[in-house]
Amino acid sequence: MNLIERFLEKAKSLDRRIVFPEGNDERIVEAAAFIEKEKIGHPILLGNKQKIHEHLLKLNLSPDNISIIEPKSSPYFHELTELYAARRKNVSMAIAERLLCRELIFGGMLISANKADCLVAGASNTTANVIQSAALTIGYQDDVSTASSFFIMVLPENKILFYADCAVNIDPDVKQLSEIGITTARSFKKLIGEEPKVAFLSFSTKGSANHPLVDKVTQAVQLAKSKDPTIDLDGEFQADTALVKQVAEKKLKESGSVAGIANILIFPDLNSGNIAYKLTQYLAKAEAYGPVLQGFRCPVSDLSRGAKVKDIVGVSAITSLQV
Amino acid sequence: MEIQEIEKRVKKVVSQVLNVPEDTIKQGSRFVEDLGAESIQSLELVAGFESEFDISMEEDAALNIKTVEKAIEFIKKYVDAK
């Protein structure tokens, strides 16, 4: 059983309410119908009812067990609009009504009002739009100020590593980098169920080089440690020191509890993170799942625009496991 | 609608959503750098303009607008087409 199959099985026992704001997209409709049929979760499709019914008929699927909501005509519309306007003091009811007509905002407010558990979008919306809508409606976790993302890398020997951030933050500052480390550790614990070992990566190992780029990483490690001392995190490390025990023992006087056995790699910027995940994928023949968004109060996922039905189902399972 | 009227109403919406005095909003003002907008407020600004002028704008293009002047030009196209 591969990792996604394991996630799908686990999701079945949770029965999460997954809201899909892009119900007008045929791939989303097909994925939602599969999720309902296989009892992976309870999908809620947002969009034009007639269009969604047409998609279902075309796919020879029954609309009977699928929840479909048209935001504007939904019985929740007024309640959610009032809730939004009450939270955002500069937003009038008229503006809030316009916002709630947008499926991404309506979907986020369904979660905010505890009428859904998690949200999967991005098949036809930009990442920026998904993140901004989620930030406005669901909001960030208490000690988090920015959204970030991670990739689940499954190596051929079934070793699992999380890479972050390889998709969202181009040049995170010290605070953002520390948050990426903390939120990725939490995501790892929730999804994999093992203790996270977070290595903050650099071209330097514990002071072997002096440079402002190294300082950023060491400061992020200190900040992350002070924010959440319960997480096993350390750095700055070169990648080999983080991953290979013999190298860690050779390069460090005291290797500590992360060096050599890291299962989470935090990259200093998007250049290094994005390059590293693609190299791992193609040269090491690893499977890469993601990017999975993190940092919000409730899970939100950003699909690739080219996502296929099976990708949407897999991402939905990952998202529902993060609740 | 005259461009001056559009400008006046655009500034009213910007003032309300970003909570800045109307007289500090200039044509060349940039939403983020000059008026202190957070990136997430761009969606609220777009909804504010749509509500004020009763138009529906192409969202991705609207979200890319960075200045008051560009917003006025962009909205004028929709108002003229009504």
Side-chain angles (χ1 to χ4, degrees):
Chain A
M1 193 183 279
N2 70 25
L3 188 68
I4 290 295
E5 287 165 347
R6 272 168 50 200
F7 286 158
L8 290 171
E9 281 308 306
K10 208 170 160 190
K12 285 179 185 176
S13 63
L14 300 172
D15 197 28
R16 301 291 189 215
R17 298 164 297 174
I18 310 165
V19 61
F20 293 93
E22 295 156 333
N24 294 332
D25 187 304
E26 196 172 322
R27 295 166 297 168
I28 296 287
V29 175
E30 192 173 349
F34 182 84
I35 287 166
E36 179 68 41
K37 183 170 155 266
E38 297 296 321
K39 302 196 183 312
I40 295 160
H42 177 63
I44 303 165
L45 288 170
L46 305 185
N48 180 291
K49 264 187 188 167
Q50 194 188 336
K51 207 168 171 184
I52 294 170
H53 280 184
E54 282 169 9
H55 284 326
L56 286 165
L57 283 176
K58 202 168 139 194
L59 296 162
N60 256 343
L61 298 166
S62 161
D64 294 345
N65 297 319
I66 307 266
S67 299
I68 303 168
I69 299 178
E70 280 183 344
K72 187 81 173 108
S73 58
S74 156
Y76 301 139
F77 185 79
H78 190 69
E79 174 193 342
L80 298 181
T81 302
E82 279 192 333
L83 184 62
Y84 187 97
R87 282 192 196 159
R88 304 280 299 173
K89 61 180 167 58
N90 299 332
V91 172
S92 64
M93 275 297 282
I95 295 178
E97 274 179 14
R98 283 276 175 169
L99 284 164
L100 266 288
C101 288
R102 289 165 159 79
E103 284 89 358
L104 277 176
I105 295 284
F106 188 90
M109 288 308 293
L110 278 179
I111 290 176
S112 195
N114 196 26
K115 297 180 193 303
D117 299 308
C118 54
L119 181 147
V120 175
S124 51
N125 280 286
T126 61
T127 300
N129 203 352
V130 173
I131 290 175
Q132 287 183 7
S133 301
L136 281 169
T137 53
I138 298 167
Y140 295 118
Q141 291 164 20
D142 285 340
D143 50 358
V144 174
S145 62
T146 186
S148 63
S149 72
F150 63 90
F151 272 89
I152 306 171
M153 307 299 296
V154 184
L155 298 165
E157 66 271 26
N158 281 330
K159 183 182 169 77
I160 294 171
L161 294 171
F162 276 25
Y163 283 17
D165 176 354
C166 309
V168 174
N169 291 282
I170 295 173
D171 187 14
D173 60 21
V174 168
K175 186 176 174 223
Q176 289 169 324
L177 196 57
S178 71
E179 289 177 3
I180 291 167
I182 291 169
T183 48
T184 310
R186 292 174 184 162
S187 300
F188 184 90
K189 178 90 179 163
K190 263 198 172 152
L191 278 171
I192 308 300
E194 293 170 16
E195 281 309 311
K197 303 275 183 190
V198 187
F200 284 74
L201 298 188
S202 170
F203 58 84
S204 165
T205 294
K206 292 285 183 183
S208 66
N210 283 317
H211 193 278
L213 290 175
V214 178
D215 295 341
K216 178 174 96 166
V217 180
T218 55
Q219 288 165 18
V221 173
Q222 291 312 315
L223 185 59
K225 277 183 178 172
S226 67
K227 275 185 178 172
D228 193 340
T230 65
I231 299 172
D232 248 349
L233 56 90
D234 207 354
E236 89 288 357
F237 294 139
Q238 288 160 284
D240 55 353
T241 313
L243 293 168
V244 185
K245 220 169 178 181
Q246 293 87 332
V247 176
E249 284 166 358
K250 202 172 166 186
K251 286 196 179 179
L252 299 166
K253 284 181 193 151
E254 288 178 22
S255 52
S257 58
V258 174
I261 51 168
N263 47 28
I264 297 171
L265 303 182
I266 303 299
F267 296 90
D269 60 23
L270 194 53
N271 264 327
S272 50
N274 192 273
I275 291 166
Y277 108 76
K278 285 182 188 289
L279 285 178
T280 313
Q281 191 178 14
Y282 289 102
L283 297 182
K285 311 284 182 220
E287 291 167 43
Y289 300 103
V292 183
L293 291 181
Q294 57 184 358
F296 297 107
R297 286 185 193 280
C298 295
V300 175
S301 274
D302 176 41
L303 297 162
S304 129
R305 301 258 193 138
K308 296 184 174 65
V309 172
K310 82 170 175 46
D311 302 326
I312 298 166
V313 172
V315 167
S316 303
I318 292 172
T319 312
S320 66
L321 294 185
Q322 289 176 282
V323 175
Chain B
M1 193 184 298
E2 294 296 318
I3 190 96
Q4 290 83 359
E5 175 66 10
I6 295 175
E7 180 179 343
K8 192 177 145 201
R9 288 167 66 175
V10 163
K11 286 181 176 174
K12 185 185 88 177
V13 172
V14 173
S15 167
Q16 185 201 341
V17 174
L18 301 185
N19 196 26
V20 290
E22 229 171 294
D23 57 7
T24 62
I25 304 166
K26 310 291 174 210
Q27 277 220 7
S29 299
R30 295 166 297 178
F31 292 118
V32 174
E33 295 86 349
D34 302 326
L35 302 173
E38 293 175 56
S39 61
I40 57 172
Q41 287 178 298
S42 52
L43 276 169
E44 292 177 336
L45 276 173
V46 169
F49 297 142
E50 288 187 343
S51 169
E52 177 66 28
F53 295 97
D54 195 22
I55 52 175
S56 287
M57 301 192 286
E58 205 280 291
E59 194 162 276
D60 288 346
L63 290 172
N64 271 326
I65 291 171
K66 310 286 182 216
T67 67
V68 172
E69 187 179 17
K70 292 285 175 200
I72 294 166
E73 285 171 18
F74 192 76
I75 290 163
K76 188 170 188 320
K77 281 190 283 182
Y78 286 90
V79 172
D80 288 348
K82 264 175 60 170

